[in-house]
Amino acid sequence: MEIHGVDKYCVFGNPIAHSKSPDIHAAFAAATEQRLTYEKRLAPLDGFAQAVHAFIAEGGKGANVTVPFKLEAYRLAGALTVRAQAAGAVNTLLFDEYGITGDNTDGAGLVADITVNAGVPIAGKRVLLLGAGGAARGAVLPILEHRPAALAIANRTVATAEALVQQFAPLGGEGVVSASGFDGVDGSFDIVINATSASLQADLPPVSPSVFHQGTLALDMMYGKEPTVFMRFAASHGASVRDGLGMLVEQAAEAFHGWRGVRPRTAEVLANLR
């Protein structure tokens, strides 16, 4: 049923049935008294651009983009925010008379979950980022904006991590950003973020337990009904742990703010999802 005068939003993905985004945005809309609809849309693997243009033709105002279309969304956008350019990927699209603008709210969502929900400041801390793919790349600029003492990026292929260091080192200041293989990580860290896809295979990034100390915050970008293998591993070595659900809610709030100009409160939505 179409409700007249109501703005339309959606999330594109493949697969998409599991997405919690419609529940999150419905809760945000109710709490902020915004009139909108938000639905899941399964885009064909070879038909993402067509699916987006069809949604725009139906009057769509904006969309979220999830796996595997974030790089395609980056290429499709006519304009990009600074953080989308830095991430090299887009998870949020805004449609207006100027065309398609691409944004990336993932890293901002991660940082908000760490600093606000977990109450752990990033400033002056030693941060370890595991992985150097799209998820990790989107996190680097928002982390550096909080001025950590060090940001170490560890990846199976060291060259990929080194490419990130080359891109972002000028923003971090002298010697702040470094790269290594998983086996070359040096010392312990205050915040350890698993941005690898290992948890999807119930696998563990091959890092030494010595990266954790009592009081380390270990966050896995993945989430599920049970703690991930990485979370269990980190907890067994003294870390406090979080999954990616808070990041999911916070990146959604950031997208909602970009679309509506209103920043929804997230605590109640996150508590209800838990």
Side-chain angles (χ1 to χ4, degrees):
M1 182 180 84
E2 176 131 329
I3 313 169
H4 290 292
V6 175
D7 290 340
K8 295 171 66 165
Y9 298 88
C10 75
V11 56
F12 290 106
N14 190 329
I16 198 63
H18 64 286
S19 175
K20 295 183 189 299
S21 293
D23 302 332
I24 295 170
H25 284 281
F28 288 164
T32 57
E33 300 183 340
Q34 295 286 306
R35 285 168 55 79
L36 58 89
T37 61
Y38 187 109
E39 62 182 18
K40 303 174 201 181
R41 291 223 166 178
L42 180 71
L45 291 176
D46 59 353
F48 172 71
Q50 293 92 319
V52 171
H53 286 297
F55 185 62
I56 293 171
E58 291 170 31
K61 297 286 189 203
N64 287 127
V65 181
T66 187
V67 176
F69 298 122
K70 291 183 184 184
L71 293 177
E72 274 194 78
Y74 178 86
R75 293 193 292 268
L76 183 66
L80 295 164
T81 63
V82 170
R83 59 193 180 185
Q85 287 174 36
V90 159
N91 79 328
T92 302
L93 295 169
L94 175 71
F95 312 130
D96 60 18
E97 65 271 26
Y98 303 111
I100 301 174
T101 302
D103 192 9
N104 189 308
T105 65
D106 283 331
L110 171 74
V111 164
D113 189 52
I114 291 170
T115 57
V116 180
N117 298 337
V120 175
I122 292 172
K125 300 291 184 68
R126 284 173 52 80
V127 181
L128 172 61
L129 188 59
L130 302 173
R137 189 170 164 170
V140 176
L141 178 63
I143 289 170
L144 289 178
E145 285 173 341
H146 279 250
R147 293 282 169 235
L151 174 60
I153 303 169
N155 194 51
R156 201 177 300 277
T157 309
V158 183
T160 315
E162 285 171 344
L164 279 191
V165 172
Q166 281 186 322
Q167 180 183 347
F168 290 104
L171 303 172
E174 188 64 39
V176 170
V177 194
S178 63
S180 72
F182 287 127
D183 55 357
V185 179
D186 197 27
S188 69
F189 293 82
D190 305 302
I191 301 168
V192 180
I193 300 160
N194 182 18
T196 73
S197 57
S199 294
L200 289 175
Q201 289 85 42
D203 211 348
L204 195 62
V207 287
S208 163
S210 64
V211 302
F212 307 107
H213 57 72
Q214 289 294 333
T216 296
L217 173 67
L219 185 145
D220 197 325
M221 286 191 182
M222 303 296 165
Y223 61 89
K225 290 186 172 60
E226 301 297 323
T228 65
V229 177
F230 170 79
M231 290 165 67
R232 294 200 295 270
F233 175 69
S236 71
H237 293 97
S240 63
V241 296
R242 289 182 78 77
D243 66 10
L245 197 60
M247 175 185 174
L248 177 75
V249 173
E250 294 298 336
Q251 66 78 24
E254 190 76 15
F256 191 93
H257 179 248
W259 293 328
R260 310 300 296 180
V262 180
R263 185 170 293 283
R265 294 172 187 237
T266 54
E268 193 178 328
V269 176
L270 181 54
N272 288 343
L273 280 178
R274 289 254 181 249

